[in-house]
């Protein structure tokens, strides 16, 4: 069908890959817990748009360019690792401030002071940048998709579009589950500031781990 071979195997593999934790899903959960589902869906939209761009780049041959140009791969790789580190530092600083009780002391003027911070965060943009600054994702899309495209099919673009549509459907469903799970956890632990700080610190540490893993990645 549409030049796709072994669709059932593709769907099983896709589900397993999407369920693996990564910086995109972790950031969406973080936004859901802090700001609710409406804002979290902006972050989810950034993830989906970023993945769409990566799929398009992969189909257009950018993955091959990254594989054959170590310098370009290194530039994109370290830019992505640096951005993830910057996000991690922000999470850790927020967790430390919460642990020390600064949020409580700022409760009175908080309505005015928190609003600018939330506006500056721009979840859609952050999620989009996290998605795009991941060269391994581009390489993954082309290396995974190509296994299920019939090379003799006359219109391979249709094959890639269909596989990409399935990937986005799975991703949207998974992110929706994460968003409402994050919102539920936020409601449960809203009054337990130190626990919330611990969870934020854990998320920040995870982002540092993602940054380290990306900085050590190779194009092969």
């Amino acid at each position: 069908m549409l030049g796709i071979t072994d669709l059932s195997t593709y769907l099983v593999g896709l589900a397993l890959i999407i369920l693996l934790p990564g910086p995109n899903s972790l950031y969406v959960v973080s936004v859901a817990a802090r700001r609710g589902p409406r804002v979290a869906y902006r972050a989810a939209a950034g993830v989906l748009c970023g993945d769409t761009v990566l799929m398009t780049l992969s189909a257009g041959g950018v993955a091959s360019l990254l594989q054959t140009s170590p310098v370009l791969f290194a530039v994109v790789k370290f830019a992505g690792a640096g951005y993830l580190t910057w996000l991690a530092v922000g999470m850790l600083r927020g967790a430390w401030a919460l642990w020390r009780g600064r949020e409580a002391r700022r409760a009175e003027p908080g309505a005015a002071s928190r609003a600018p911070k939330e506006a500056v965060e721009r979840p859609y943009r952050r999620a989009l940048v996290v998605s795009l600054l991941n060269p391994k994702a581009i390489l993954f899309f082309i290396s995974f998709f190509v296994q299920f495209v019939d090379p003799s099919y006359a219109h391979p673009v249709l094959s890639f579009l269909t596989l990409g549509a399935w990937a986005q459907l799975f991703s949207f469903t998974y992110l929706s589950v994460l968003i409402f799970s994050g919102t539920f956890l936020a409601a449960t632990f809203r009054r337990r500031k130190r626990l919330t700080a611990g969870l934020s610190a854990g998320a920040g540490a995870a982002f540092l781990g993602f940054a380290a893993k990306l900085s050590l990645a190779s194009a092969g």
Side-chain angles (χ1 to χ4, degrees), residues 22 24 35 141 152 166 207:
N24 290 335
R35 301 181 59 182
F141 279 125
S152 63
W166 275 110
F207 264 66

Side-chain angles (χ1 to χ4, degrees), residues 83-97 126 200 204:
Y83 188 72
L84 289 177
T85 301
W86 180 74
L87 290 180
V89 170
M91 290 180 177
L92 292 173
R93 290 179 61 187
W96 176 251
R126 281 197 177 185
S200 297

Side-chain angles (χ1 to χ4, degrees), residues 109-176:
S113 62
R114 280 196 301 269
K117 290 184 178 181
E118 293 183 351
V120 168
E121 184 179 1
R122 294 171 185 163
Y124 172 83
R125 182 179 298 181
R126 281 197 177 185
L128 179 65
V129 173
V130 169
S131 294
L132 294 178
L133 290 180
N134 188 355
K136 296 297 287 186
I138 302 177
L139 299 177
F140 159 75
F141 279 125
I142 191 64
S143 63
F144 185 65
F145 281 9
V146 73
Q147 300 178 49
F148 302 93
V149 176
D150 184 354
S152 63
Y153 186 62
H155 307 288
V157 173
L158 292 178
S159 303
F160 276 98
L161 286 176
T162 304
L163 294 174
W166 275 110
Q168 294 292 56
L169 177 61
F170 275 43
S171 183
F172 177 79
T173 302
Y174 178 55
L175 291 176
S176 294

Side-chain angles (χ1 to χ4, degrees), residues 24-216:
N24 290 335
S25 58
L26 186 59
Y27 179 65
V28 171
V29 171
S30 173
V31 173
R34 289 182 288 108
R35 301 181 59 182
R38 179 177 297 182
V39 180
Y41 269 110
R42 297 182 200 168
V47 172
L48 296 176
C49 288
D51 286 348
T52 299
V53 171
L54 294 184
M55 292 177 198
T56 303
L57 292 176
S58 298
V62 174
S64 299
L65 178 61
L66 286 175
Q67 286 180 313
T68 57
S69 176
V71 174
L72 179 60
F73 182 85
V75 169
V76 178
K77 177 179 70 172
F78 286 115
Y83 188 72
L84 289 177
T85 301
W86 180 74
L87 290 180
V89 170
M91 290 180 177
L92 292 173
R93 290 179 61 187
W96 176 251
L98 194 60
W99 183 268
R100 298 288 294 178
R102 294 175 185 174
E103 296 296 328
R105 289 198 297 269
R106 295 175 184 174
E108 295 297 328
S113 62
R114 280 196 301 269
K117 290 184 178 181
E118 293 183 351
V120 168
E121 184 179 1
R122 294 171 185 163
Y124 172 83
R125 182 179 298 181
R126 281 197 177 185
L128 179 65
V129 173
V130 169
S131 294
L132 294 178
L133 290 180
N134 188 355
K136 296 297 287 186
I138 302 177
L139 299 177
F140 159 75
F141 279 125
I142 191 64
S143 63
F144 185 65
F145 281 9
V146 73
Q147 300 178 49
F148 302 93
V149 176
D150 184 354
S152 63
Y153 186 62
H155 307 288
V157 173
L158 292 178
S159 303
F160 276 98
L161 286 176
T162 304
L163 294 174
W166 275 110
Q168 294 292 56
L169 177 61
F170 275 43
S171 183
F172 177 79
T173 302
Y174 178 55
L175 291 176
S176 294
V177 172
L178 293 180
I179 285 172
F180 288 102
S181 298
T183 304
F184 172 77
L185 292 176
T188 303
F189 299 116
R190 185 166 287 127
R191 295 182 180 180
R192 305 170 78 172
K193 298 297 184 182
R194 292 197 171 186
L195 179 58
T196 304
L199 294 175
S200 297
F207 264 66
L208 286 178
F210 292 135
K213 183 178 180 180
L214 180 58
S215 66
L216 295 175

